[in-house]
Amino acid sequence: MVDNIKDRVTIYEVAKASGFSLATVSRVINNQTNVTEKTRKKVEETIARLGYKPSAVAQALATNRSTNIGVVIPRANYVYISNMVNGLTEAARDRGYVLSLFVTSHSKDEAISAMNKVITSHVDGAIIFDDELDVEDAQKISSYQVPVIAVNNKVTGDKVACLTFGYEHLLRDILRDYFQNGDKKMYFLHVHNAGRLLARIERAFVSTHIEDNRNYGILSCDDSYSKTYLDFIDFFKTTKSGYFLAYRDSIAAAIINAARDSHLRVPEDVEVLSIIGTKYANIIRPTISSMYIDMQLVGHKAMEMLADLMEGKLDRKQIKVESTLIKRDSTL
Amino acid sequence: MVDNIKDRVTIYEVAKASGFSLATVSRVINNQTNVTEKTRKKVEETIARLGYKPSAVAQALATNRSTNIGVVIPRANYVYISNMVNGLTEAARDRGYVLSLFVTSHSKDEAISAMNKVITSHVDGAIIFDDELDVEDAQKISSYQVPVIAVNNKVTGDKVACLTFGYEHLLRDILRDYFQNGDKKMYFLHVHNAGRLLARIERAFVSTHIEDNRNYGILSCDDSYSKTYLDFIDFFKTTKSGYFLAYRDSIAAAIINAARDSHLRVPEDVEVLSIIGTKYANIIRPTISSMYIDMQLVGHKAMEMLADLMEGKLDRKQIKVESTLIKRDSTL
DNA sequence: TTGTAAGCGTTATCAG
DNA sequence: CTGATAACGCTTACAA
């Protein structure tokens, strides 16, 4: 076993113990070919015996590559973010990279400080999925020679590429289809400060209604299940029907539960569509129709783009992932 | 292979441009006191002008501290794990640490390889929450001078401490209480390979029943909503009542939905308790009674322990976080 | 095939 | 208060 009193074993000690030079040991570590099989064996044996592990820090300094990827996100525990992170970790691992997490907690200050840390951290590349950061920030970081993939943010530049989400198109289709066949007034659940994505979708909602000369409603709500539930218990005292577009499953569930508790039928009286659908949309009764993007896949794609960008062989610098409609029981 | 137009600005260039030495610039960077205000100003001005950011890699090599914490987890997108990770990131950020994520995908090989990466990565400490890793692994990593907090795994050692979850106690209380007042047969939902925690809880379930000379059932199920739902649709064709303990909310929801679709009443005919409760337990109808541990808090605690351990001032090397029962509508 | 030695960008220990 | 200079652990020409 390993002696745990002393400091880490270094390449020097391996060299000395094996009777070879630093360079040779280094070659063995890095699987270089120009080493005799005999030498390699001996060195590997001493490495195993001493329990030597190369220091990624020293390697990074020497090679100017850290094999670290920075990931900037507002929080780690939103379902769609953690799904993306999981996709990223898998794809990163397959390529030999390690992820470093930088969370911004939805504040601009934290976001700026996160960006600075990303730069000092000497990551080989970064994935940024954060509404607090805008085009300038992404470009700033790339001016430090850090290739960046911006998620949900249209940015381009020398070492910057982006992966955006396509919701508007699908939303317009859904709305126009509903204009044909549906009869309820449509409401958009506005959440204050819920970010660019929701804002964009809301704009699409509004403009489609205006273009088609339709009446619509915007309802402000809290990004919390309980609060929204209570608000809608109130709302349904006077309003007895409607088609509601909610940001996430939990908000959609709040509306559904409030509707039912107000003796309204879903979807006959009240229809609900969740914009960011997760697997929970399928568990809640009635199941919630939703727009869906596979965020694990997004993670994989983003990592793939980043790897290509780092190697300078990324051709398409803008990729759009389209959402799909998953029709369930909360809509007709 | 590197074709960067312009390399990063280094401390050398700042020194040259400002007319001071490396040492002085370094002092300014590190906010040392022994620098004239005038000098500091000048240096800071050049730093800003050149856009210089110190290299964390070089700092790490020089100081032998990376300000990185390794986090080993099976996946990033389980709700309770991502909650813990979010707690960790917050607590880490407050202490100036950055998290590096190592995911093991539930495989022993990946787990071993993750551990090796943790060691090579030169992290200042590690948090391990992974069932593939056992006591030896945690001790091995700590033999590399890496302080470790093992979550959900009782380990001790020089640089190792642990944070475990208390479910058994509460479970026994719940069961014994039910033995007094309840009348249904209790079933435990066994999920193959769902890890140590569930296995431990299952043992407590069985032993309590045996001690009290009670009849019980163990049902094997898949860790998937849809499969479990179908299984229970089948199950409820012959069995018309029961008290079911399910690992997670989604499994509990599958039972509830299957029961209702089989015209059984919840909780009158079928009672369900979720072991790892999340916020979704409160959204599903009927709301799901569950045992609960605040995983974000666990993240904070774990980081706090690690910080103390790293500074050699951790007194309690074993901390147990007790779960609480949240009584909702799926049990009587 | 192997060894020597010069970096990589910092910090830290000395002197001055 | 400031400046040389030697580490830190590894890679990589360049030599042998």
Side-chain angles (χ1 to χ4, degrees), chain A residues 2-128:
Chain A
V2 185
D3 177 355
N4 52 0
I5 304 290
K6 307 195 319 183
D7 276 350
R8 297 174 68 104
V9 180
T10 72
I11 197 171
Y12 294 100
E13 299 162 52
V14 175
K16 187 169 293 173
S18 66
F20 292 97
S21 71
L22 289 186
T24 303
V25 177
S26 174
R27 288 181 190 113
V28 171
I29 294 166
N30 296 294
N31 279 311
Q32 313 248 35
T33 49
N34 46 355
V35 183
T36 336
E37 201 46 43
K38 199 173 155 191
T39 311
R40 178 185 301 280
K41 274 275 171 289
K42 279 195 143 182
V43 172
E44 277 170 348
E45 185 269 323
T46 20
I47 286 177
R49 183 161 51 79
L50 300 180
Y52 165 74
K53 307 269 181 201
S55 156
V57 169
Q59 288 178 317
L61 186 60
T63 57
N64 199 28
R65 296 188 60 239
S66 68
T67 69
N68 266 75
I69 302 292
V71 176
V72 182
I73 49 179
R75 309 181 53 109
N77 62 342
Y78 286 147
V79 176
Y80 63 99
I81 289 188
S82 66
N83 280 338
M84 183 187 77
V85 170
N86 199 61
L88 286 173
T89 55
E90 290 178 354
R93 167 166 50 60
D94 294 347
R95 292 176 168 77
Y97 288 107
V98 168
L99 293 193
S100 293
L101 234 50
F102 300 84
V103 293
T104 63
S105 313
H106 292 295
S107 103
K108 183 70 180 176
D109 285 352
E110 285 294 348
I112 297 289
S113 126
M115 293 299 276
N116 285 328
K117 277 193 195 151
V118 169
I119 295 169
T120 62
S121 282
H122 238 276
V123 295
D124 294 338
I127 310 259
I128 301 181

Side-chain angles (χ1 to χ4, degrees), chain B residues 11 26 30 52 55 59:
Chain B
I11 197 172
S26 176
N30 295 293
Y52 164 76
S55 156
Q59 289 177 316

Side-chain angles (χ1 to χ4, degrees), chain B residues 60-248:
Chain B
L61 186 61
T63 57
N64 201 29
R65 295 187 61 242
S66 67
T67 69
N68 266 74
I69 302 291
V71 176
V72 182
I73 49 178
R75 311 181 52 110
N77 61 342
Y78 287 148
V79 176
Y80 64 101
I81 290 188
S82 66
N83 280 337
M84 183 186 78
V85 170
N86 199 60
L88 286 173
T89 54
E90 290 178 355
R93 165 165 49 60
D94 293 347
R95 291 175 168 77
Y97 289 108
V98 168
L99 293 192
S100 293
L101 234 50
F102 300 85
V103 293
T104 65
S105 314
H106 293 294
S107 104
K108 183 71 181 172
D109 285 352
E110 285 294 347
I112 297 289
S113 124
M115 292 299 276
N116 286 328
K117 275 192 199 155
V118 169
I119 295 169
T120 62
S121 283
H122 239 277
V123 294
D124 294 338
I127 310 258
I128 301 182
F129 182 13
D130 196 307
D131 276 350
E132 297 294 340
L133 269 5
D134 43 37
V135 179
E136 289 169 26
D137 298 306
Q139 271 157 355
K140 179 186 169 201
I141 191 174
S142 101
S143 79
Y144 281 90
Q145 316 300 317
V146 182
V148 171
I149 303 295
V151 179
N152 186 32
N153 198 175
K154 204 177 278 175
V155 194
T156 45
D158 185 27
K159 281 291 181 190
V160 193
C162 64
L163 192 161
T164 55
F165 302 131
Y167 279 101
E168 289 102 322
H169 229 72
L170 176 61
L171 178 61
R172 285 178 201 278
D173 287 351
I174 293 172
L175 295 184
R176 297 224 153 96
D177 189 56
Y178 194 78
F179 293 163
Q180 301 291 319
N181 311 306
D183 57 349
K184 305 189 185 77
K185 178 171 172 185
M186 297 186 111
Y187 294 88
F188 193 91
L189 276 278
H190 173 90
V191 179
H192 184 61
N193 255 341
R196 271 197 292 270
L197 182 61
L198 187 63
R200 248 172 48 210
I201 297 172
E202 182 174 336
R203 280 196 296 275
F205 173 87
V206 170
S207 67
T208 309
H209 273 82
I210 289 177
E211 284 162 24
D212 287 40
N213 206 17
R214 286 278 182 157
N215 190 18
Y216 65 89
I218 302 283
L219 303 172
S220 271
C221 84
D222 234 57
D223 195 4
S224 111
Y225 170 83
S226 330
K227 184 72 168 53
T228 304
Y229 172 81
L230 292 175
D231 286 350
F232 271 85
I233 285 290
D234 232 46
F235 182 84
F236 287 132
K237 280 181 185 153
T238 55
T239 311
K240 299 300 183 186
S241 85
Y243 185 119
F244 301 87
L245 278 95
Y247 192 26
R248 27 172 135 261

